[in-house]
Amino acid sequence: MPALYEMGMNYSKWYYVLPVDLIIITSFTVAQDTKVILEVASQKKIAYDFILTNQLVLGEFEFTKEVHAIEIQQGLRFDIDCEEYPGLHYDLQIPEVPYVISDDRIFFTDDAPKDETFLTISLSGQSYFQCIISGHLQEAPASISSYVSFEKEKNLYIDFYQQLNRNFYLKSSEESLQTQLEILNQTAWWYSHNAMVHFADPHGLEQPGGAAWGTRDVCQGPMEYFLATQNYELAGKILLNIFSHQNSGTGEWPQWFMFDRYQKDAGECHGDVVFWPLKSIGDYIKCSSDYSLLQERIPYAEGEERKETLLQHIKVAFSAIQKRFINNSGLLTYAGGDWDDTLQPADPSMKEHLISSWTVALAYQTLNSLSQLIRPVDIDFSALLSERAAFIRRDFSSLLIQDGVIAGFARQEKEGFTYILHPSDKETDIGYRLIPMTRSIIAELVEPFQANNNMDIIHRELKFPDGVRLMNKPAHYSGGISKLFKRAEQAANVGREISLQYTHAHIRYIEACAKLGDAQSAWEGLFTVNPIRIQQAVPSASRRQSNMYFSSSDGFYR
């Protein structure tokens, strides 16, 4: 076992303390190239024998692709059978050091391999070497690799992230406050790193497979980060990419889509997804004052044959939204789900008869903001958006707020509505839902007295030591049989979105506190979900990896 493990913005490092030596093993990526380096160094220059072991996957899953390797200078080339990128290959090279290539037979006495995907590289009498793996999208002759400086690449990454986060740094003359600010300063670096992983390698921080942009995900995490750090050019490019995946027939976006040459997507979406690209373009214009993006001509998901301006794409999406309003009211159909994936309706008919008050609040925020921002370029379209937003505001207050409490859902009946996730709800026995309360504050949809009432309810019914929770209790579990909600009622583990604290929703609570000017609650809320020294804010919390955003606060089970 190593004596010490260190992680940086582009590297992991292991320190092995031996009786007469210190061996440092570093794995790091290169800033301006597609290379990952494994560096092994004896600090006393003592020579050792090493074996590097590798399981070759060459695809998304193990044992599903044949391994093709040819010898090149200093190493091996692995060609990947990939229709979208026919030249895709990886070169593995070890500069200036002799080595022997084999498989797992070197570990067995019968000299027979047991796993055809296994690769071993044996090096004898070495005190230092680098193993360089480089990825290439096009066929090219192998080049001779040379040693790569770890310190140089580390500094290049630091420079990159300083530029990306605009040298973000908080300071105070009060020593006690500066301690807290240093926690936020450290977190800003790691969350910048997390955002770039989410953006550039979008199967996420903890999922080994996939590689798609979730439409609502990329419109929130990376997009809001780039706008906050004034990386407007990058934000604009993301928006053009997102809008080019809009379906021209439905006017909507898939739940997720591949963002490069791959043409795969989810094929369907939840009812809130259509609003996120529209909200993002509104946020972009508001932050950057760049109206020129609206005139960019981009295709739809079906291909390059039909290109229209981004403004026209917005109008196509609005036409799709118009069809979902119930009886020309300001209430929209649920259409398969909202932000909480666990609350998808078990009965397909509910897609047309269930109303998510959170989605309605998001719709108001999106359309109301767009109506104001679009006015300088299209006054007639602005008026349409404004009219619909006014309908939403009217009916949200009169139909979705009962006895001073926003219902999580309203189910349309022959006469009126039945309210779900509300104190009057005897069907689920869940009285309160967080996200419509916070979103209606953020959207400035409710009057100040109702906004304050929302926050009073949150603090009384939904706030716990580890943060605010999605609901005041989980959905009833009946052996995994769904009656109302697909996944919430199938979940034997009460964690993540199954009513406990979910960090994303907690962050929106902080946003709502800021909107109301409740600085103290917002400030405390920042540290409740900050993994660095989290026990200072949440005494019952277990240790967490402190350089990574954690998605939820799950119960500890024995």
Side-chain angles (χ1 to χ4, degrees):
M1 294 292 291
L4 181 67
Y5 173 67
E6 176 186 343
M7 188 184 292
M9 304 304 286
N10 70 316
Y11 68 90
S12 287
K13 187 178 285 194
W14 296 262
Y15 296 79
Y16 290 88
V17 176
L18 305 180
V20 295
D21 199 4
L22 171 64
I23 296 177
I24 300 178
I25 299 178
T26 309
S27 178
F28 64 98
T29 53
V30 175
Q32 304 297 335
D33 205 346
T34 54
K35 292 181 179 179
V36 58
I37 318 293
L38 181 72
E39 180 180 81
V40 179
S42 161
Q43 303 307 294
K44 298 292 187 181
K45 305 288 192 295
I46 300 174
Y48 298 93
D49 296 340
F50 294 94
I51 299 175
L52 302 183
T53 62
N54 308 266
Q55 185 182 21
L56 305 174
V57 178
L58 303 186
E60 189 175 357
F61 302 107
E62 295 88 342
F63 309 111
T64 58
K65 297 267 182 114
E66 289 189 20
V67 176
H68 303 289
I70 59 172
E71 288 194 34
I72 59 173
Q73 285 183 301
Q74 302 175 334
L76 296 172
R77 170 166 292 181
F78 301 93
D79 291 313
I80 311 297
D81 183 15
C82 179
E83 182 178 341
E84 288 79 8
Y85 292 94
L88 178 62
H89 65 276
Y90 293 88
D91 291 345
L92 185 154
Q93 296 172 294
I94 302 179
E96 302 178 25
V97 173
Y99 54 86
V100 176
I101 298 288
S102 185
D103 47 34
D104 64 346
R105 76 183 66 201
I106 66 172
F107 299 116
F108 303 105
T109 56
D110 61 0
D111 196 37
K114 304 296 187 292
D115 183 347
E116 63 183 14
T117 69
F118 217 75
L119 171 72
T120 59
I121 304 172
S122 301
L123 304 96
S124 300
Q126 301 299 324
S127 62
Y128 176 88
F129 68 90
Q130 285 188 343
C131 177
I132 302 173
I133 299 176
S134 54
H136 306 271
L137 295 178
Q138 299 174 340
E139 295 181 4
S143 58
I144 298 176
S145 287
S146 56
Y147 289 116
V148 180
S149 167
F150 164 67
E151 288 298 330
K152 176 185 175 183
E153 296 302 328
K154 176 182 175 181
N155 290 330
L156 284 172
Y157 264 84
I158 290 173
D159 291 343
F160 168 79
Y161 278 103
Q162 281 183 326
Q163 180 180 5
L164 186 74
N165 68 20
R166 305 303 191 198
N167 293 297
F168 176 87
Y169 186 77
L170 302 171
K171 60 183 178 180
S172 171
S173 57
E174 297 181 32
E175 185 175 344
S176 59
L177 183 58
Q178 187 61 36
T179 300
Q180 285 186 298
L181 293 180
E182 284 301 331
I183 290 176
L184 296 180
N185 288 332
Q186 286 291 320
T187 302
W189 275 84
W190 287 112
Y191 283 9
S192 297
H193 180 272
N194 293 176
M196 288 303 293
V197 171
H198 191 172
F199 162 66
D201 192 24
H203 43 65
L205 298 168
E206 52 191 25
Q207 298 166 307
W213 274 354
T215 303
R216 72 159 75 102
D217 298 341
V218 74
C219 287
Q220 292 181 85
M223 176 59 65
E224 291 181 13
Y225 173 81
F226 293 137
L227 291 180
T229 52
Q230 300 177 356
N231 286 284
Y232 299 137
E233 182 179 359
L234 188 51
K237 289 180 179 179
I238 295 175
L239 280 169
L240 294 177
N241 195 327
I242 292 170
F243 273 87
S244 71
H245 286 83
Q246 181 184 16
N247 185 290
S248 62
T250 66
E252 299 194 39
W253 284 261
Q255 193 80 7
W256 55 261
F257 58 87
M258 304 291 274
F259 69 106
D260 45 19
R261 293 185 189 176
Y262 292 92
Q263 298 299 309
K264 300 176 183 177
D265 62 45
E268 51 82 33
C269 66
H270 294 171
D272 66 299
V273 168
V274 67
F275 295 102
W276 288 108
L278 304 184
K279 179 182 180 300
S280 292
I281 186 62
D283 292 344
Y284 172 82
I285 294 173
K286 185 176 182 179
C287 292
S288 68
S289 300
D290 176 20
Y291 280 86
S292 65
L293 204 70
L294 294 174
Q295 303 309 318
E296 290 281 348
R297 297 182 63 82
I298 51 177
Y300 290 87
E302 292 79 9
E304 295 285 332
E305 292 77 15
R306 178 186 174 189
K307 286 188 175 182
E308 293 184 321
T309 65
L310 192 146
L311 179 58
Q312 186 59 39
H313 278 254
I314 294 172
K315 292 181 178 181
V316 170
F318 180 65
S319 295
I321 293 168
Q322 289 275 57
K323 298 173 184 176
R324 286 178 47 201
F325 285 100
I326 299 173
N327 299 331
N328 202 35
S329 72
L331 304 183
L332 298 112
T333 58
Y334 192 44
D338 66 10
W339 177 87
D340 190 337
D341 292 341
T342 70
L343 298 179
Q344 298 171 50
D347 180 357
S349 69
M350 287 296 100
K351 292 182 179 181
E352 301 301 322
H353 300 288
L354 200 65
I355 298 160
S356 162
S357 54
W358 172 84
T359 302
V360 175
L362 176 67
Y364 173 81
Q365 181 181 1
T366 301
L367 301 183
N368 184 56
S369 176
L370 264 182
S371 71
Q372 299 172 39
L373 294 163
I374 293 292
R375 189 173 295 126
V377 295
D378 195 325
I379 192 168
D380 292 335
F381 183 46
S382 170
L384 281 175
L385 294 170
S386 180
E387 180 184 43
R388 184 53 67 180
F391 286 164
I392 295 174
R393 188 179 190 92
R394 177 198 67 194
D395 292 343
F396 186 92
S397 296
S398 63
L399 299 176
L400 296 181
I401 302 176
Q402 293 295 308
D403 300 324
V405 180
I406 301 174
F409 300 99
R411 183 168 58 203
Q412 187 183 26
E413 310 286 2
K414 289 183 178 179
E415 296 182 3
F417 296 97
T418 298
Y419 297 100
I420 304 171
L421 277 53
H422 182 269
S424 64
D425 176 14
K426 305 304 179 186
E427 187 175 5
T428 68
D429 198 34
I430 299 171
Y432 304 94
R433 190 184 188 203
L434 171 70
I435 60 175
M437 298 187 197
T438 52
R439 180 56 59 180
S440 60
I441 294 172
I442 295 167
E444 300 183 13
L445 172 58
V446 291
E447 298 298 329
F449 76 90
Q450 182 63 48
N452 290 323
N453 189 45
N454 288 358
M455 199 57 73
D456 289 342
I457 293 170
I458 291 169
H459 288 162
R460 184 179 71 246
E461 303 289 345
L462 299 171
K463 189 175 183 180
F464 290 81
D466 60 340
V468 295
R469 299 188 181 176
L470 290 169
M471 298 181 287
N472 63 311
K473 63 176 68 174
H476 184 68
Y477 178 75
S478 299
I481 300 172
S482 293
K483 296 180 180 179
L484 190 60
F485 299 116
K486 275 185 184 178
R487 288 168 55 191
E489 295 167 343
Q490 296 174 353
N493 168 46
V494 184
R496 287 180 68 100
E497 291 158 295
I498 313 298
S499 92
L500 287 189
Q501 187 270 8
Y502 201 70
T503 303
H504 180 170
H506 180 94
I507 290 171
R508 296 305 183 194
Y509 155 75
I510 296 171
E511 187 178 358
C513 290
K515 178 71 75 170
L516 292 178
D518 184 357
Q520 188 62 35
S521 294
W523 180 254
E524 291 173 357
L526 285 172
F527 296 95
T528 305
V529 293
N530 192 310
I532 300 176
R533 297 181 179 177
I534 191 171
Q535 292 79 11
Q536 294 180 358
V538 186
S540 61
S542 299
R543 286 187 179 181
R544 285 190 178 270
Q545 182 174 335
S546 292
N547 60 352
M548 180 181 283
Y549 171 93
F550 63 84
S551 64
S552 61
S553 171
D554 294 351
F556 178 66
Y557 303 95
R558 291 186 181 274

